Amino acid sequence: NAGVTQTPKFQVLKTGQSMTLQCAQDMNHNSMYWYRQDPGMGLRLIYYSASEGTTDKGEVPNGYNVSRLNKREFSLRLESAAPSQTSVYFCASAGAAAGEQFFGPGTRLTVL
Amino acid sequence: KNEVEQSPQNLTAQEGEFITINCSYSVGISALHWLQQHPGGGIVSLFMLSSGKKKHGRLIATINIQEKHSSLHITASHPRDSAVYICAPAGGTSYGKLTFGQGTILTVHP
């Protein structure tokens, strides 16, 4: 099992460009999450999906959109990237909504 | 005021020492997670507990729900334990929202 995979690992964007971060899990988990991690801020929840077909905002959703494509895949889209979105992005999944979370390796995004 | 406070923020130890990392939180929780983030950036779940104590190898996690406090202990520390340890209480909502502490940077010297 690969667990939780994320692509790409690194990305550099110019302000205003758009991109989609991909996340997939092969553990048949219902819940999936997108976090960002910034120095001195800790991890913060951007969006989550409690089950296939549902998505909800987390703590810092502005500037992002998500799609729960199917049970396996949960993508995060930046429509118009801003330097404030420079961060490391982690996807996670959990079998139950309040269960142990399994994290992907992260995507390091720089917006110039 | 942060909802989750970890102490210490930085911890340096010699190999073999007993390590304790503390976590205090102010929110009501359904469970508390301890995570480990390696120097390379990967995050691994160590424990999820809602009461009492859990042990996995040289790691022990305890929680006191009444006092809103949890501790992570590492016995016989080793340089490979060097990492950032993150406390994350899970709220009582249906989706189990995690509130993350700032992390404790642990360095274990040989």
Side-chain angles (χ1 to χ4, degrees):
Chain A
N1 286 350
V4 180
T5 56
Q6 291 183 236
T7 55
K9 286 189 167 56
F10 301 93
Q11 184 71 48
V12 178
L13 293 177
K14 294 181 180 176
T15 297
Q17 288 185 317
S18 62
M19 78 161 295
T20 300
L21 280 64
Q22 306 285 355
C23 174
Q25 51 90 10
D26 61 2
M27 295 173 282
N28 201 36
H29 284 170
N30 287 317
S31 301
M32 297 186 75
Y33 309 83
W34 275 106
Y35 298 99
R36 61 178 289 173
Q37 186 177 40
D38 303 293
M41 298 291 292
L43 285 152
R44 292 180 291 171
L45 181 66
I46 305 171
Y47 270 94
Y48 68 97
S49 171
S51 62
E52 186 179 357
T54 68
T55 61
D56 283 287
K57 296 177 181 179
E59 185 183 352
V60 288
N62 290 345
Y64 305 96
N65 285 300
V66 289
S67 295
R68 184 74 183 266
L69 303 168
N70 47 55
K71 192 170 187 180
R72 289 188 64 247
E73 298 172 287
F74 188 38
S75 62
L76 178 72
R77 183 159 178 84
L78 286 70
E79 290 291 352
S80 179
S84 60
Q85 294 178 304
T86 293
S87 188
V88 181
Y89 292 85
F90 288 96
C91 175
S93 70
E100 181 183 11
Q101 294 191 16
F102 295 81
F103 287 78
T107 295
R108 188 173 295 273
L109 175 67
T110 301
V111 183
L112 302 175
Chain B
K1 183 182 183 301
N2 288 336
E3 293 180 335
V4 183
E5 296 280 352
Q6 283 187 237
S7 63
Q9 290 186 340
N10 287 278
L11 182 55
T12 301
Q14 289 298 126
E15 184 173 356
E17 287 184 356
F18 182 83
I19 304 290
T20 295
I21 299 170
N22 294 300
C23 175
S24 296
Y25 54 91
S26 57
V27 297
I29 68 168
S30 57
L32 185 139
H33 300 244
W34 280 101
L35 309 172
Q36 180 192 53
Q37 186 166 25
H38 298 290
I43 299 174
V44 174
S45 174
L46 296 175
F47 294 102
M48 185 183 76
L49 68 166
S50 55
S51 65
K53 178 166 109 172
K54 285 192 175 181
K55 184 175 189 289
H56 184 255
R58 295 180 294 106
L59 273 60
I60 302 166
T62 64
I63 188 167
N64 185 318
I65 295 290
Q66 286 73 30
E67 294 188 4
K68 291 187 168 63
H69 182 268
S70 178
S71 294
L72 177 68
H73 306 284
I74 304 174
T75 62
S77 59
H78 189 276
R80 64 175 175 265
D81 297 325
S82 298
V84 178
Y85 293 84
I86 303 168
C87 164
T93 63
S94 60
Y95 69 89
K97 172 183 177 290
L98 299 186
T99 303
F100 295 88
Q102 296 293 317
T104 294
I105 302 170
L106 172 64
T107 305
V108 182
H109 293 294

